[in-house]
Amino acid sequence: MEVYIDGKFYRKEDAKISVFDHGLLYGDGLFEGIRVYDNCIFKLDAHLERIEYSAKAIALELPWKREEIARAHIEACRRNGIENGYIRTVITRGVGDLGLNPNNCGNPSIIIIADKIKLYPPSVYEDGMKLITVPTRRTSVAALPPMVKSLNYLNSILAKIEALNCGFDECLLLNDQGHVAECSGDNIFVIHKGKLITPMSASSLLLGITRAATIECAHELGIPVLETTMTRYDLWNADEAFLTGSAAEVVPVVALDGRKIGSGKCGPLTAKLLERFRQKVRTDGTMVK
Ligand code: PXG
């Protein structure tokens, strides 16, 4: 494997960064998780736009043009022979000292790792997933907006620990108001009376690329979409529910906290959206070759 760091490719063993990097010392940086399908980097532009917005939000000035970063992603796939897989992009504030002051950091660093991906087994897409609501609340937009895909993922990791300790792979997080926010690494949707409903960004969530692509699919299929405030009541009364994420794609959710959602199986509109999404991933991206 060859890893891209700041303009050069290094063998995996030699791909290293400083222990004084503020990404390591403080989680002061950003990341992306991007899928590659049949030599096509899915929604690369949208991921690069999200990096730019996240960078602006944490006042990190990116010294690279979008085209330059895009080319590095394509090259990382080519060099590693990744035709189907996953790209992890990491941007850090760079090497600083043992103080918080970001002005003492040198140049930001960019790391790009293109690798294979371990997917959920096909049974998850047929039988669906069961979720548990965890006590950890999603970070408030007033503290650190979850729209920023920052390198500090302890909020999601604490939620994941709580879920795993209870025997669940994924969980529901509420925000500080008790409204539905999202899952530890996925966004959440319900279907009610033919309408697709999902929490709005002010409910404290990452604006997922898969979330946006799923909303696009709904528009294409003529399914009305509502982004609003949601509570668990909306999940208890949903006809269908599913989660979305770059790794997960569209996964049916069939139970929450031991309560069945809808029929307790993958719903018909969820199946339609998953089918449409899987068509989209092969047509909407940047070609590697
Ligand atoms: N919410 C959160 C908190 C995320 O981290 C998503 C939603 C889905 O966003 P995309 O853009 O992928 O549709 C994410 C991204 C993991 C893992 O190991 C998951 C993410 C990132 C890093 C690791 O499950 N999900």
Side-chain angles (χ1 to χ4, degrees):
M1 179 194 280
E2 287 186 67
V3 176
Y4 178 93
I5 306 177
D6 298 333
K8 283 194 207 133
F9 282 90
Y10 298 86
R11 284 185 312 159
K12 186 178 174 180
E13 307 75 52
D14 304 324
K16 293 184 178 136
I17 62 154
S18 165
V19 293
F20 290 98
D21 193 301
H22 269 215
L24 177 68
L25 289 175
Y26 299 114
D28 186 0
L30 310 166
F31 79 101
E32 282 294 323
I34 309 172
R35 284 291 291 276
V36 185
Y37 295 94
D38 293 348
N39 288 307
C40 193
I41 307 178
F42 183 55
K43 298 273 188 196
L44 178 59
D45 239 36
H47 282 282
L48 298 183
E49 183 181 67
R50 186 164 68 183
I51 286 179
E52 289 166 7
Y53 288 158
S54 290
K56 241 193 178 156
I58 65 164
L60 193 163
E61 211 169 306
L62 299 174
W64 320 281
K65 291 214 163 25
R66 193 189 288 193
E67 294 72 24
E68 197 182 328
I69 304 182
R71 273 200 305 278
H73 282 74
I74 293 166
E75 187 58 21
C77 292
R78 279 195 192 144
R79 286 205 182 214
N80 292 289
I82 297 297
E83 299 184 347
N84 285 282
Y86 183 83
I87 308 172
R88 172 61 52 94
T89 314
V90 179
I91 290 173
T92 77
R93 184 88 61 182
V95 177
D97 56 22
L98 298 179
L100 288 177
N101 191 346
N103 299 330
N104 293 336
C105 293
N107 298 321
S109 271
I110 179 165
I111 300 161
I112 303 172
I113 308 167
D115 203 355
K116 295 187 187 69
I117 183 170
K118 190 168 173 282
L119 298 171
Y120 281 128
S123 60
V124 167
Y125 296 90
E126 287 146 27
D127 306 336
M129 196 179 250
K130 294 175 178 172
L131 300 184
I132 185 170
T133 310
V134 290
T136 291
R137 296 293 175 102
R138 192 73 179 104
T139 317
S140 157
V141 284
L144 174 63
M147 297 76 129
V148 177
K149 203 163 164 58
S150 88
L151 283 180
N152 193 323
Y153 247 51
L154 277 173
N155 182 230
S156 284
I157 289 168
L158 290 182
K160 186 92 174 177
I161 289 168
E162 288 166 347
L164 291 171
N165 284 347
C166 296
F168 290 78
D169 289 332
E170 187 47 294
C171 53
L172 182 72
L173 283 92
L174 307 178
N175 66 16
D176 53 359
Q177 309 287 303
H179 299 146
V180 172
E182 59 176 332
C183 302
S184 69
D186 298 289
N187 291 115
I188 186 126
F189 287 82
V190 301
I191 305 272
H192 187 249
K193 292 193 174 172
K195 199 181 275 179
L196 182 63
I197 310 169
T198 195
M200 59 187 185
S201 76
S203 293
S204 283
L205 50 102
L206 179 76
L207 290 167
I209 304 299
T210 321
R211 176 183 180 275
T214 304
I215 291 171
E216 255 175 50
C217 291
H219 288 316
E220 288 157 14
L221 293 166
I223 301 169
V225 180
L226 180 63
E227 294 178 57
T228 185
T229 306
M230 286 172 64
T231 66
R232 285 198 304 162
Y233 173 89
D234 300 300
L235 279 148
W236 298 333
N237 284 294
D239 300 320
E240 305 177 29
F242 61 84
L243 51 79
T244 64
S246 292
E249 301 181 331
V250 174
V251 169
V253 172
V254 295
L256 176 67
D257 304 322
R259 293 194 194 199
K260 193 162 80 172
I261 295 177
S263 67
K265 296 200 178 74
C266 174
L269 284 185
T270 303
K272 243 178 154 175
L273 285 163
L274 173 59
E275 189 192 355
R276 183 88 189 183
F277 179 81
R278 285 189 166 159
Q279 288 164 356
K280 191 179 279 294
V281 296
R282 289 189 164 73
T283 55
D284 194 339
T286 303
M287 291 307 292
V288 171
K289 281 184 181 158

